[in-house]
Amino acid sequence: MGRAKLPIKKIENSTNRQVTFSKRRNGIIKKAYELSVLCDVDVALIMFSPSGKPSSYAGKGSVEEIMSRYVNLSDHERGSKSMSLTNLFSLVSLAAQQVRIYNLRNFNKKSPIASPI
């Protein structure tokens, strides 16, 4: 028997949504890796889970290096349907800010609070 086709809409159950994200995240990272190796291209991928945890993948080099190369292209080289530099900087800045917030929250959860003597 084949698999049931899932309708493409938001999964309302948060547990099911997280499980689906985890499985599909691994799948899309695998596809990005394959594209990078088979076609010898630079690939950068940034994702945030439903809980806000950041994930990234870079085929060769780092995500920052690949994003920097993209940002330094002229509008013509990026193509007419690509994002403006202003929007791209805003998104990258927002993503970096969310990563910092996530890391601070996790650091605070793991750090024992010093008790006064």
Side-chain angles (χ1 to χ4, degrees):
M1 292 229 117
R3 294 184 183 182
K5 184 158 176 90
L6 284 175
I8 302 299
K9 63 180 179 118
K10 181 179 178 182
I11 299 170
E12 297 302 326
N13 181 294
S14 61
T15 303
N16 291 349
R17 185 170 50 247
Q18 182 63 44
V19 169
T20 300
F21 173 78
S22 295
K23 290 179 181 179
R24 288 184 176 241
R25 176 191 59 216
N26 292 337
I28 199 164
I29 289 173
K30 180 180 177 185
K31 293 291 185 186
Y33 165 76
E34 291 171 354
L35 182 64
S36 174
V37 171
L38 292 172
C39 301
D40 193 32
V41 296
D42 291 333
V43 176
L45 181 63
I46 302 171
M47 297 176 279
F48 288 91
S49 73
S51 63
K53 181 180 177 185
S55 301
S56 64
Y57 169 80
K60 296 185 281 182
S62 69
V63 172
E64 292 82 8
E65 290 170 359
I66 296 169
M67 292 296 291
S68 176
R69 281 181 48 206
Y70 180 82
V71 166
N72 291 326
L73 292 175
S74 69
D75 289 341
H76 178 71
E77 289 173 309
R78 265 189 253 121
S80 61
K81 294 185 179 181
S82 66
M83 186 179 301
S84 73
L85 276 179
T86 305
N87 290 342
L88 180 63
F89 280 128
S90 297
L91 283 175
V92 170
S93 175
L94 178 61
Q97 182 181 18
Q98 288 177 335
V99 168
R100 284 191 297 275
I101 290 169
Y102 177 82
N103 289 338
L104 283 172
R105 285 183 182 154
N106 282 340
F107 178 77
N108 289 336
K109 287 180 185 176
K110 294 175 185 175
S111 298
I113 298 174
S115 59
I117 298 177

